[in-house]
Amino acid sequence: MATVAALTIAASASKHAHAEDRVVAADDAASAALVTGGGVSGVFHRVEAGRSLDFTTPGPATLTIEVRRRLPAVGTRPAGVRVALLGDGAPVLELVAGQAAVTDAKVHDGRGGALSGPDLATVTVPAGGQRLTVRAPADSPDLLVRVRTDAPAP
């Protein structure tokens, strides 16, 4: 079951938005990974254990942040991990990424493993745009993140 949370991030300095087909690209293009199968299709961005990934987000907009874990293909799956979402460096929300696998989904990045079900957060960004940071804990498996927006690119 997906975790859904709503919040508002306060406005700050204007940033340029990067949105294509209503999906926000990560600032690090090398993090992109194609995911297909199991009712999932599209580009996600990999966040490795102990690392962060930034998204330049458009405002005003409502963002949907989808977080999934890469799980071992077989064997024990660790309990959910806490994923921090930050707006302009300030903590705004913590998601718990689950451990239930989507058995027929594939991550096409050469690393293998299964994909967890989605954990979702909805964030309202005011005019001016924000930097959204997704931070993985040091002891977590890779996270796969997709950020969507209801606003077109400027």
Side-chain angles (χ1 to χ4, degrees):
M1 184 157 122
T3 303
V4 180
L7 62 118
T8 300
I9 298 176
S12 73
S14 178
K15 308 262 186 210
H16 295 286
H18 303 282
E20 181 175 325
D21 296 329
R22 299 166 65 126
V23 174
V24 179
D27 291 356
D28 176 6
S31 69
L34 179 64
V35 175
T36 59
V40 184
S41 179
V43 174
F44 283 72
H45 294 278
R46 185 178 51 256
V47 184
E48 297 172 348
R51 308 278 315 235
S52 296
L53 186 62
D54 291 327
F55 294 83
T56 302
T57 56
T62 299
L63 303 176
T64 301
I65 298 99
E66 179 179 353
V67 177
R68 294 173 181 260
R69 288 173 46 192
R70 184 189 313 267
L71 301 169
V74 294
T76 304
R77 295 193 169 121
V81 297
R82 297 191 178 284
V83 180
L85 300 179
L86 299 98
D88 288 334
V92 293
L93 181 66
E94 190 174 80
L95 284 174
V96 177
Q99 66 186 58
V102 177
T103 56
D104 53 350
K106 285 190 92 168
V107 182
H108 302 278
D109 68 352
R111 295 185 180 199
L115 189 65
S116 76
D119 290 286
L120 305 171
T122 301
V123 177
T124 301
V125 181
Q130 300 292 310
R131 171 144 334 263
L132 173 73
T133 302
V134 178
R135 182 175 295 154
D139 60 347
S140 90
D142 285 355
L143 302 175
L144 294 159
V145 178
R146 175 165 52 184
V147 178
R148 295 178 179 268
T149 180
D150 67 351

